[in-house]
Amino acid sequence: KYIPVATRGSVIYFVTADLSEIDPMYQYSLKYFTSLFVKVIESSEKAPELDKRLQILLDGITLTMYNNIGRGLFERHKVCFSFMLCVEIMKQAKIITMDEWNFFIRGLPPLEKDRPKKPVQCTFLDTITWNLLVDVEEAMPVYSGITNDIKLTPVQVNVGSYKLQLNPPEFPGYIPKVPDPPADLSTEELPPGAPKGHWNKR
């Protein structure tokens, strides 16, 4: 029943161990890590419902480990640690797939193949970026429709305070109103060529 808690501890430990690749002085013993882990379990709020208790432990372990490890990091490495921790937790929860992660780290391998030509109205994209969109749409279903939507709607994604705008927020070729995305993009029947909705709401 408590496997998710053990898994979270394992994920955080191995991320912490990898910090030595950034700076050799970042060395944390398993004994120190285990003592923090046990302390959180013993001191955290108790709850009769298992789901609530698990969530309390997951939140408490993650926050305690982050705060204690983060105190010993240089300021410039704290953001890196936060990113590594977040990514590994999301990978373990299957929110980020290995295909998506590998694409983020390495990109797609260069392939000589026939691709659709860049639409003439997409003056805001260079050919390399258009080819990348075509390839990623073919490789990962989650990006299905992006080569169509980028011609018709603003494609923007907000992650915290970071905003990525892939195309202009306003453009003459856009449809008048950006529709909300359907609840289930995988099963929703849409007319051919219709946009799936604003990417930031997916």
Side-chain angles (χ1 to χ4, degrees):
K1 294 178 181 179
Y2 286 86
I3 288 177
V5 178
T7 302
R8 177 63 58 86
S10 174
V11 167
I12 298 172
Y13 174 74
F14 285 108
V15 169
T16 303
D18 285 342
L19 289 173
S20 62
E21 300 292 329
I22 298 175
D23 193 307
M25 81 170 192
Y26 295 148
Q27 303 282 344
Y28 299 90
S29 69
L30 180 59
K31 182 178 179 180
Y32 169 71
F33 194 89
T34 303
S35 68
L36 288 177
F37 188 84
V38 172
K39 184 178 180 180
V40 173
I41 293 175
E42 293 176 345
S43 62
S44 61
E45 177 189 350
K46 306 299 186 287
E49 301 88 0
L50 178 61
D51 288 346
K52 185 176 180 181
R53 173 66 173 156
L54 288 175
Q55 195 58 54
I56 290 171
L57 289 173
L58 290 172
D59 293 343
I61 287 167
T62 305
L63 182 61
T64 299
M65 298 301 184
Y66 176 80
N67 286 339
N68 279 272
I69 301 300
R71 287 193 195 104
L73 304 180
F74 289 122
E75 202 65 33
R76 66 181 181 273
H77 294 150
K78 289 181 180 179
V79 174
C80 183
F81 178 52
S82 300
F83 177 73
M84 291 166 59
L85 194 57
C86 181
V87 166
E88 290 304 320
I89 289 172
M90 294 178 74
K91 283 166 63 179
Q92 186 273 325
K94 302 190 185 307
I95 298 172
I96 295 176
T97 67
M98 285 307 299
D99 285 343
E100 292 166 352
W101 178 242
N102 287 331
F103 172 74
F104 177 79
I105 294 296
R106 305 181 181 90
L108 291 171
L111 298 173
E112 293 297 329
K113 63 177 184 180
D114 292 331
R115 298 180 178 89
K117 288 187 177 180
K118 184 185 75 170
V120 292
Q121 68 265 41
C122 293
T123 54
F124 45 82
L125 290 178
D126 57 34
T127 303
I128 294 175
T129 304
W130 170 256
N131 289 342
L132 182 64
L133 289 174
V134 172
D135 290 346
V136 78
E137 182 179 48
E138 291 180 0
M140 287 178 262
V142 69
Y143 294 104
S144 174
I146 193 169
T147 55
N148 182 59
D149 284 14
I150 202 168
K151 299 179 292 185
L152 303 176
T153 68
V155 176
Q156 172 185 314
V157 178
N158 297 338
V159 181
S161 60
Y162 179 75
K163 180 186 293 185
L164 173 66
Q165 188 77 48
L166 195 56
N167 55 358
E170 297 181 2
F171 201 70
Y174 291 165
I175 58 176
K177 183 179 183 301
V178 180
D180 288 329
D184 187 350
L185 290 171
S186 63
T187 59
E188 185 76 10
E189 293 294 332
L190 293 171
K196 291 184 176 180
H198 200 298
W199 285 74
N200 197 45
K201 296 182 180 180
R202 294 181 176 221

